[in-house]
Amino acid sequence: MGAPRGVGMVVLVLVAAGFGVPAMHRWADSANTEASFAQGALPVSEQELLLEEPSEAMDGKVVAATPGGLLTVDKGGKGSAVAVTMRDAASGGERWHHRRWNREALQPPVLTADGTRIGLVGKRRDDTTLQHLTILDSYSGRVQVDIPFDGSPGQLELMTDEVLVYFAGAEQNSVSGRDLSGNRLWDYEVPIGCVATTTTAVGEVVGVALACRADDGSEEEARVVGLNAKSGRDVWEWVAPEEGRIYPGGMVAALEKLVVDVRRDESPNDSLFAARMYRHDLNAIRVEDGETDWREKDLDLGNTYAPACVGTLQVAGVPVEGMI
């Protein structure tokens, strides 16, 4: 009779330990989360800011301007915690902060196009097999959703009100769409010989920029594929008329168009110390059919002798009718 009781006790202990893992994670999150919240949709006044106690001094690198204020990363670098602070643009005072000391930040914050939502990607320190995406409201700093992933879903590249777009693979040769609960909606395999470089969305279309090599490897070809945001089905493909590449920061949405900067290196190769010469072609692609709406060729932003200067033209959309 003693042996069966012993076996039963071991089973009970194992079952209890198994059910305890999520509870331990919740306890660790609660114990290691430091957060404050802002009230209302508008930035607080300077008089109210005088009554706030300043938070601990951090690096405070500005990431983006949002409707809720200036988003800053508290401290960057490898091994840094997931920690951001929203500051009032007029005074620099803190509106709210969100810090997860038990999570290591894996990439910079990702914002929706209107800046009302902020995505923070982190890996747990107490269980490195788990990653989380925490989505915050930019006005208040409150958590809208905290999505756990068993393993890495990839690099979060785009966040809209309906879909999360990730790049994955050693060569960024896989693109996936997920809903705001983390469930996989679709996968898109990048064509052989290409890598995904950047992405943005207009309405129901997700544009993915591809850098492809010719069969003989002699030149680089820039492409943009339009994917249905809900199904991942490719609805059109655009190919740049001249060689070059679309770099991160080189594609934006504006007026039902995707505006892309195709950059190419036209530096002379007859001298090691010759200046680097970059040329840019701006192309506006219609979202409904993937056709070119207009093109500005051979924009020259000046030459450089610094090899580290990539010469990327940052483009920004203006959501006003008749303007880009």
Side-chain angles (χ1 to χ4, degrees):
M1 293 295 292
R5 283 199 300 269
V7 172
M9 289 177 65
V10 172
V11 171
L12 288 174
V13 170
L14 291 175
V15 170
F19 279 107
V21 171
M24 288 295 292
H25 285 166
R26 287 193 296 271
W27 176 87
D29 284 339
S30 177
N32 289 279
T33 298
E34 177 191 341
S36 66
F37 309 101
Q39 300 296 326
L42 297 177
V44 295
S45 67
E46 293 185 22
Q47 289 76 16
E48 291 173 317
L49 286 169
L50 293 175
L51 302 177
E52 294 185 3
E53 295 184 4
S55 62
E56 181 183 356
M58 295 285 187
D59 287 0
K61 178 182 178 182
V62 176
V63 176
T66 77
L70 296 177
L71 178 66
T72 63
V73 172
D74 292 352
K75 192 172 182 63
K78 185 175 178 59
S80 297
V82 172
V84 295
T85 299
M86 187 68 76
R87 299 194 174 276
D88 179 72
S91 66
E94 178 182 316
R95 297 202 63 234
W96 56 260
H97 65 263
H98 188 90
R99 296 164 190 155
R100 301 266 187 164
W101 303 118
N102 64 323
R103 297 182 187 177
E104 178 184 344
L106 297 179
Q107 64 176 90
V110 175
L111 283 72
T112 53
D114 60 5
T116 58
R117 292 180 178 181
I118 302 164
L120 305 176
V121 178
K123 177 176 63 177
R124 298 188 69 92
R125 300 187 193 274
D126 53 352
D127 187 346
T128 57
T129 64
L130 292 181
Q131 291 188 15
H132 287 259
L133 169 61
T134 306
I135 300 179
L136 307 178
D137 171 64
S138 70
Y139 293 113
S140 66
R142 296 190 180 277
V143 175
Q144 293 186 336
V145 64
D146 189 43
I147 308 172
F149 292 100
D150 188 2
S152 173
Q155 177 93 356
L156 179 62
E157 295 286 338
L158 177 68
M159 185 169 66
T160 74
D161 291 338
E162 296 182 348
V163 66
L164 308 170
V165 178
Y166 287 86
F167 288 178
E171 299 294 333
Q172 291 189 308
N173 52 11
S174 178
V175 181
S176 65
R178 295 175 180 267
D179 63 21
L180 296 189
S181 296
N183 300 312
R184 190 185 297 271
L185 298 174
W186 48 263
D187 291 290
Y188 171 76
E189 291 301 320
V190 173
I192 296 175
C194 302
V195 296
T197 60
T198 189
T199 182
T200 193
V202 179
E204 295 296 318
V205 175
V206 173
V208 178
L210 306 177
C212 305
R213 280 287 178 187
D215 293 338
D216 59 3
S218 60
E219 63 182 30
E220 195 167 40
E221 182 181 75
R223 305 180 193 174
V224 177
V225 60
L227 305 178
N228 181 280
K230 294 181 179 179
S231 67
R233 180 177 60 87
D234 55 323
V235 292
W236 50 258
E237 182 181 62
W238 176 88
V239 179
E242 294 189 43
E243 66 173 309
R245 174 184 282 233
I246 303 168
Y247 285 83
M251 179 167 66
V252 298
L255 304 178
E256 301 301 316
K257 302 178 183 68
L258 294 176
V259 181
V260 298
D261 166 33
V262 179
R263 192 202 89 194
R264 60 185 175 276
D265 187 350
E266 294 188 352
S267 307
N269 55 14
D270 56 352
S271 172
L272 178 64
F273 302 102
R276 311 307 297 170
M277 299 169 56
Y278 296 105
R279 299 295 179 264
H280 304 259
D281 293 344
L282 275 184
N283 305 265
I285 307 167
R286 294 197 300 263
V287 173
E288 66 269 22
D289 56 13
E291 296 296 324
T292 301
D293 189 72
W294 54 259
R295 180 181 180 219
E296 290 290 333
K297 295 176 54 179
D298 297 326
L299 299 180
D300 182 357
L301 305 182
N303 303 330
T304 176
Y305 287 92
C309 295
V310 298
T312 298
L313 174 65
Q314 301 291 321
V315 293
V318 181
V320 179
E321 187 174 357
M323 296 180 62
I324 290 184

